Amino acid sequence: NERFAPAPPWLTGNLQTVADRVHPQTHDLAAVSDEQRLLVPMEDNSGDALAVRLHRPLIGPRSDRPVVLVVHGLGGSIDSTYVRASTLGLLRAGYPVARVDLRGVGDSSEHCRMLYHGGRSGDLRSVLRALAAEPGADGVAIMGFSLGGNVTLKLLGEPLAGIPVRAGVSVSAPLDLSVGNEHLQRRMFGLYEKFLVSKLKSDTAHSGLALTDQERAAIAKVSTLTEFDDLITAKHNGWRDAAEYYAVNSSVQFLPHITVPTLVVHALDDPMIPAGPYQAVDWGQLESSTPVRRAITRTGGHVGFHERGAILPWYVARAVRFLDAA
């Protein structure tokens, strides 16, 4: 429903998807913000805490701007290119921004015994509650990518527990986790899935997750996301198997319950996330009964959207326009 013009040579979904790895950008945040480090305890009695970096814009901050929490995806971190690009664009627009490493990742790994997954919306509620209590905060907003986008939409469709959430944005979220994993197994000879599985194995090895010798041996043999979720995600979080984990946490079922302005960004040529779940949503009904809005493009790849004539990805300016209006 929106136009996006890809920048040459990134003209296909696959090229849009790998552009950040082929031609990575640094995005200097220190030049435009002051940074404060926070450690936010989780509220599930696990003893885990998430490491957060809160940035306040140096030039042009607006008193009516909420703090925007940016959430990385599977295999990502606070230093993923898309996280830094979004942070830079939001800071330039006058928004305070917080970047968070999810459980077991980056700066959070030394403070966690558990590992992140696609349904840990309670973790984000804890971080949003802490950010809303920061001096000068005028509410909070959230922007999640890929698996972090699924968690974001799930959170927005759940009770917000009094947290002053003013808006949300998801980019390239897998609305249906089960369909998404089946799709990954078939695309590009499974190369995308192999990459994500290797990142999950690395995150698990560097996390504080308590594993038996049998589990460690089994993880070494895992070759698909479903196998990993059967072995680790479901078992360590109280679900019967991966299928139950996917059914409980897929964000598509939470969309009708969202009560704050929310923008859903996706490209139909995303090679990692199938278009089917997006095409199955009755957007007319959803947009007439909720404040959810779509920004679905024909091209753009997975968290790509590298635009002709622009340094930052297309979704950054689109998110800023949406947040400004909200």
Side-chain angles (χ1 to χ4, degrees):
N1 70 325
E2 298 211 10
R3 295 182 65 83
F4 160 73
W10 320 110
L11 299 179
T12 69
N14 284 315
L15 290 174
Q16 282 281 328
T17 301
V18 303
D20 281 338
R21 295 196 167 274
V22 176
H23 191 256
Q25 302 289 325
T26 305
H27 301 308
D28 183 9
L29 304 180
V32 295
S33 69
D34 287 324
E35 180 184 289
Q36 175 186 357
R37 298 196 181 197
L38 308 174
L39 191 62
V40 180
M42 298 296 93
E43 299 169 5
D44 58 0
N45 299 316
S46 64
D48 287 0
L50 297 189
V52 177
R53 298 197 191 187
L54 174 59
H55 299 264
R56 293 184 173 87
L58 292 177
I59 300 174
R62 290 274 299 274
S63 60
D64 61 345
R65 293 293 198 254
V67 180
V68 183
L69 175 63
V70 180
V71 185
H72 67 78
L74 182 63
S77 74
I78 62 169
D79 283 322
S80 293
T81 301
Y82 57 88
V83 172
R84 296 184 68 90
S86 300
T87 301
L88 180 60
L90 289 162
L91 285 166
R92 285 176 173 172
Y95 287 90
V97 184
R99 297 180 290 150
V100 60
D101 274 327
L102 299 177
R103 292 204 205 203
V105 175
D107 291 344
S108 295
S109 58
E110 63 183 291
H111 306 289
C112 294
R113 294 182 299 159
M114 303 291 287
L115 195 63
Y116 72 102
H117 60 67
R120 283 203 186 279
S121 49
D123 289 9
L124 301 186
R125 268 193 298 277
S126 297
V127 175
L128 288 171
R129 186 175 290 110
L131 293 174
E134 280 291 305
D138 188 5
V140 290
I142 184 167
M143 184 175 184
F145 292 85
S146 196
L147 194 71
N150 184 81
V151 188
T152 293
L153 293 174
K154 178 176 181 285
L155 172 137
L156 294 170
E158 295 172 331
L160 295 174
I163 303 169
V165 180
R166 294 171 57 181
V169 179
S170 76
V171 180
S172 302
L175 298 185
D176 186 313
L177 296 172
S178 178
V179 172
N181 280 5
E182 293 170 4
H183 175 83
L184 272 173
Q185 292 171 21
R186 299 191 302 267
R187 292 303 302 268
M188 289 288 291
F189 310 102
L191 290 177
Y192 286 123
E193 183 174 47
K194 288 182 175 66
F195 169 76
L196 292 174
V197 168
S198 70
K199 292 289 290 181
L200 266 178
K201 288 182 177 182
S202 175
D203 287 343
T204 305
H206 292 94
S207 74
L209 189 65
L211 299 171
T212 65
D213 290 340
Q214 290 86 350
E215 285 176 324
R216 293 185 187 280
I219 288 174
K221 300 177 182 178
V222 161
S223 61
T224 70
L225 289 172
T226 301
E227 288 175 358
F228 181 91
D229 288 333
D230 266 326
L231 178 68
I232 299 299
T233 310
K235 180 179 177 182
H236 285 261
N237 291 282
W239 294 300
R240 180 183 63 252
D241 52 21
E244 185 179 23
Y245 157 52
Y246 301 150
V248 169
N249 295 290
S250 290
S251 57
V252 66
Q253 64 197 304
F254 294 91
L255 293 176
H257 306 290
I258 293 176
T259 58
V260 301
T262 298
L263 180 67
V264 177
V265 179
H266 189 65
L268 295 178
D269 70 347
D270 185 327
M272 300 179 73
I273 305 296
Y278 282 86
Q279 294 168 329
V281 172
D282 185 343
W283 291 102
Q285 170 62 26
L286 186 68
E287 292 181 339
S288 67
S289 59
T290 75
V292 176
R293 299 294 179 263
R294 66 192 141 146
I296 297 179
T297 62
R298 185 176 60 83
T299 61
H302 184 72
V303 193
F305 297 97
H306 300 286
E307 186 177 20
R308 187 187 299 269
I311 296 175
L312 297 179
W314 173 83
Y315 55 74
V316 177
R318 187 64 185 85
V320 167
R321 291 201 307 274
F322 182 80
L323 293 173
D324 283 350

